[in-house]
């Protein structure tokens, strides 16, 4: 995956966006440090700061699909902040952290509520409630539609990230999730992502399922 802008640049943008709402630079820096610590954890092989940067780059490339880009920007930053492989409620926990940290930075409640809505909706990729949530889900699932050789790297990284789980639990959870995606009428919500990623995503998912 080619990233044209560094994680450091993205963190600087995040810092600047929060300073728009909060004059407390120390508090904002603490939030940024917290995010960096979580995403740079050595046990994160995929859902790390590189992944966040890639998602933000996808947002930039597809910004014309978004009505309120700032909500999606914050949702990307907090989407995988909780990444405990033993838990099945990481979306809820990530949404909770988003509420807590964004509230500390005085981000308006209407923005925070949207961020929580978008993150929580990724639990089972339920029907999006608005245009931007539909795009956010597509951004989140874009990895499934990448080139097969890169997808193999992704699936290996996910296995490493989940390595603490007994293999029978890991395999069942992963297969259930992959079947959930395949059973959808379309994996992606928007015409742009369906055209760009749908066919390859279904190929990749079927290929991975054959490995179990």
């Amino acid at each position: 995956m080619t990233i044209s802008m560094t994680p450091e640049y993205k963190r600087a943008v995040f810092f600047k966006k929060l300073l728009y709402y909060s004059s407390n630079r120390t508090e904002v820096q603490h939030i940024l440090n917290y995010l960096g610590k979580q995403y740079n954890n050595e046990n994160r092989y995929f859902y790390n700061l590189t992944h966040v940067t890639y998602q933000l780059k996808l947002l930039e490339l597809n910004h014309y699909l978004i009505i309120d880009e700032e909500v999606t920007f914050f949702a990307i930053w907090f989407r995988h902040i909780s990444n405990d492989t033993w838990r099945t409620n990481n979306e809820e926990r990530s949404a909770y952290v988003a509420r807590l940290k964004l509230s500390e930075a005085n981000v308006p409640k209407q923005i925070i509520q949207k961020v929580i809505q978008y993150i929580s909706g990724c639990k089972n990729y339920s029907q999006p409630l608005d245009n931007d949530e539909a795009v956010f889900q597509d951004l989140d699932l874009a990895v499934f539609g990448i080139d097969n050789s890169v997808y193999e790297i992704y699936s290996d990284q996910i296995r490493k990230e989940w390595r603490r789980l007994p293999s029978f639990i890991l395999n069942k959870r992963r297969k259930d999730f992959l079947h959930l995606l395949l059973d959808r009428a379309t994996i992606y919500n928007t015409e742009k992502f369906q055209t760009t990623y749908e066919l390859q995503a279904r190929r990749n998912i079927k290929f991975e399922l054959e490995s179990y």
Side-chain angles (χ1 to χ4, degrees):
M1 303 176 186
T2 302
I3 308 297
S4 64
M5 296 184 180
T6 65
E8 290 72 22
Y9 174 84
K10 296 301 184 186
R11 281 181 288 195
V13 173
F14 182 85
F15 187 81
K16 184 177 180 180
K17 282 183 179 291
L18 284 189
L19 282 180
Y20 179 80
Y21 299 108
S22 174
S23 59
N24 190 335
R25 296 179 67 90
T26 301
E27 184 64 53
V28 171
Q29 187 62 56
H30 284 164
I31 295 171
L32 193 60
N33 291 344
Y34 172 81
L35 290 169
K37 181 179 179 181
Q38 297 302 310
Y39 281 118
N40 284 323
N41 185 292
E42 63 181 6
N43 293 315
R44 287 181 180 255
Y45 290 89
F46 182 75
Y47 292 121
N48 50 32
L49 199 55
T50 298
H51 175 69
V52 173
T53 307
Y54 173 71
Q55 290 295 103
L56 292 171
K57 181 58 182 177
L58 278 180
L59 172 59
E60 290 177 5
L61 292 173
N62 295 280
H63 67 92
Y64 59 92
L65 299 174
I66 299 284
I67 297 171
D68 189 341
E69 193 172 338
E70 188 162 275
V71 171
T72 307
F73 178 88
F74 286 137
I76 287 172
W77 269 102
F78 287 97
R79 165 68 178 95
H80 293 286
I81 197 66
S82 175
N83 192 43
D84 188 334
T85 54
W86 285 99
R87 294 182 178 273
T88 59
N89 65 338
N90 281 305
E91 286 79 12
E92 293 90 338
R93 289 164 60 86
S94 290
Y96 172 79
V97 174
R99 181 195 298 274
L100 184 67
K101 298 301 181 183
L102 293 176
S103 295
E104 290 174 0
N106 298 319
V107 174
K109 289 183 179 180
Q110 62 267 28
I111 292 179
I112 296 174
Q113 284 303 118
K114 284 285 187 180
V115 170
I116 292 170
Q117 172 189 319
Y118 293 2
I119 294 173
S120 300
C122 290
K123 176 74 173 182
N124 292 304
Y125 295 94
S126 54
Q127 182 68 29
L129 300 181
D130 57 45
N131 172 82
D132 287 2
E133 184 178 3
V135 178
F136 176 72
Q137 289 186 6
D138 284 357
L139 293 171
D140 198 54
L141 294 171
V143 65
F144 288 93
I146 58 179
D147 180 77
N148 179 257
S149 60
V150 183
Y151 183 83
E152 287 187 52
I153 296 173
Y154 152 72
S155 60
D156 287 342
Q157 290 173 334
I158 290 296
R159 286 175 180 269
K160 287 180 181 178
E161 212 159 277
W162 289 16
R163 69 190 185 283
R164 291 189 301 161
L165 289 176
S167 58
F168 74 93
I169 296 178
L170 187 161
N171 292 344
K172 183 180 187 308
R173 284 190 187 176
R174 186 64 177 172
K175 286 192 293 184
D176 286 348
F177 176 63
L178 294 177
H179 280 298
L180 174 81
L181 295 180
L182 279 183
D183 289 344
R184 292 162 60 102
T186 59
I187 294 172
Y188 300 100
N189 299 305
T190 63
E191 183 178 353
K192 163 69 184 301
F193 278 77
Q194 290 169 10
T195 301
T196 307
Y197 295 109
E198 184 79 26
L199 184 59
Q200 185 62 40
R202 291 188 175 275
R203 288 173 178 167
N204 286 335
I205 292 171
K206 290 175 182 178
F207 176 81
E208 183 177 353
L209 281 169
E210 290 174 358
S211 69
Y212 290 101

